[in-house]
Amino acid sequence: MTATPARPRPVALLLPGQGAQHARMAHGLYRTVPAFTDALDEVLDLLGPDGAAVRTDWLAEQPAVPLDDVRRAQPLLFAIDYALARTLHAWGVRPAAILGHSVGEAVGAVLAGVLPLADAVRLLAERIEAIADAPPGGMLAVAATAEAVIPYLTEQVVIGAINGPQQLLLAGPDPDLAVAEAELIASGITCMRARATSGFHSPSLRPACRRTLAGYDGVELRAPRTPLVSGYTAGELSAGSAVDPGFWAMQPAEPVLFGPALDALLARGPHLLVEAGPGQGLSALARRHPEVGGGRSAVVPLLGSRPRTPADDLQNLLRAARAIEAEGHPVSPYHLAPA
């Protein structure tokens, strides 16, 4: 039996964003895990009739609106990330730091106390409406360094995310992105389309983002109560940035620096990185980090990469709970009961 560490590594939440969505994600937790169900319903109920339509499509075998559409992916990712984080809270687990990717940082802002959930959900809805009217585009996962892709960049096609030393996302509108994709393939550089129908984290979304600024009028933004390591500043979020409406409003058009942000988080010391969201994309990135590979930090995803049945979701969640408990973090026995 593995001994429980004398001093548990502090928990850091990893909250995934656009691209992590997949069909029937987290279905097995809905109406099965009370904390998850209540929190997810709270988010979708705040969206009103649109939230009801999102829930219906999420649970449907054949959704009316495709899951990768911004009107489905964004609210569902927000709701599932938030619901999993609240499930951890119900277990008694309190994160020492939070790192979100793309819309995951908006969830992190709520969890860290920067703004109330109701305001965050309203602003999310306004963001979705604005982005839905933006030019169609996408994101392209590229296995190359930032320097290697410079010849393929344009005013519209940019590096939308740096996830690791050779793990990038290019972003932009179509047909510009399609041209870059063809050129990369012709040059022998491995790339593939990510799950997005908008050019997230590229200049094509700047006009849409600017239209959402007015929605922050009257919103009381606060400094984080829990350290929030920002994927946009690649460091701990300052009080000044936290209370700046422009910082939050323009995020969908700005590049995500997840790799450098993870470096900054793990430079603070060993952590237990808990991915609270669908899939294991951020866990896979974190496992490649030297601090994790060397055993100083560890990774626990709450869900599987692609569960085959709803029962898999619950089994994966319970497995994660036991792994967190084995690290020395007390977890409510109720939530560890066999399925």
Side-chain angles (χ1 to χ4, degrees):
M1 176 179 285
T2 303
T4 299
R7 299 181 65 182
R9 287 175 283 202
V11 168
L13 286 188
L14 302 181
L15 302 166
Q18 186 73 36
Q21 74 275 6
H22 60 84
R24 304 187 69 78
M25 55 185 176
H27 275 202
L29 306 184
Y30 191 60
R31 303 192 181 110
T32 302
V33 178
F36 177 89
T37 303
D38 291 347
L40 188 136
D41 280 342
E42 184 179 11
V43 172
L44 297 186
D45 288 350
L46 285 168
L47 288 169
D50 287 342
V54 168
R55 185 190 290 105
T56 298
D57 273 351
W58 174 52
L59 297 174
E61 290 286 349
Q62 297 293 330
V65 178
L67 182 63
D68 292 340
D69 188 287
V70 65
R71 295 169 295 168
R72 291 296 177 265
Q74 290 281 297
L76 281 172
L77 287 167
F78 186 104
I80 290 171
D81 284 8
Y82 179 74
L84 285 169
R86 294 302 300 172
T87 301
L88 282 174
H89 189 275
W91 291 351
V93 177
R94 302 293 183 265
I98 301 169
L99 169 56
H101 193 296
S102 190
V103 73
E105 185 156 320
V107 179
V110 175
L111 300 173
V114 174
L115 77 170
L117 178 65
D119 283 328
V121 172
R122 176 181 60 78
L123 292 166
L124 175 70
E126 293 174 4
R127 171 192 290 189
I128 291 167
E129 182 179 0
I131 292 175
D133 290 335
M139 304 187 78
L140 187 65
V142 182
T145 64
E147 292 76 15
V149 302
I150 289 174
Y152 308 95
L153 304 181
T154 68
E155 288 186 1
Q156 291 297 317
V157 177
V158 300
I159 296 176
I162 299 176
N163 291 329
Q166 295 194 61
Q167 294 166 293
L168 308 177
L169 285 171
L170 300 193
D174 281 325
D176 307 66
L177 189 64
V179 171
E181 181 180 12
E183 292 176 347
L184 285 162
I185 292 171
S187 299
I189 296 177
T190 300
C191 62
M192 64 178 295
R193 283 287 180 130
R195 301 192 66 165
T197 58
S198 302
F200 284 99
H201 311 300
S202 78
S204 67
L205 293 192
R206 283 180 186 152
C209 290
R210 283 193 286 269
R211 290 200 300 273
T212 67
L213 264 168
Y216 286 81
D217 292 345
V219 175
E220 185 177 3
L221 298 168
R222 304 185 179 208
R225 292 194 301 263
T226 301
L228 187 59
V229 180
S230 174
Y232 296 92
T233 67
E236 185 172 342
L237 188 66
S238 68
S241 292
V243 301
D244 176 11
F247 173 78
W248 297 105
M250 298 305 295
Q251 283 191 357
E254 296 300 318
V256 174
L257 308 175
F258 179 81
L262 184 61
D263 290 340
L265 171 61
L266 295 181
R268 298 160 61 99
H271 283 80
L272 179 65
L273 304 171
V274 178
E275 183 170 6
Q280 298 186 4
L282 299 188
S283 295
L285 294 172
R287 288 190 182 105
R288 297 186 180 102
H289 196 282
E291 290 296 310
V292 176
R296 290 173 291 277
S297 290
V299 180
V300 175
L302 294 185
L303 294 178
S305 55
R306 288 290 188 276
R308 293 183 297 274
T309 69
D312 292 338
D313 286 329
L314 185 58
Q315 291 303 319
N316 285 322
L317 186 69
L318 293 174
R319 189 178 299 115
R322 294 187 178 95
I324 294 168
E325 187 178 53
E327 277 278 328
H329 296 278
V331 175
S332 168
Y334 169 78
H335 293 279
L336 289 176

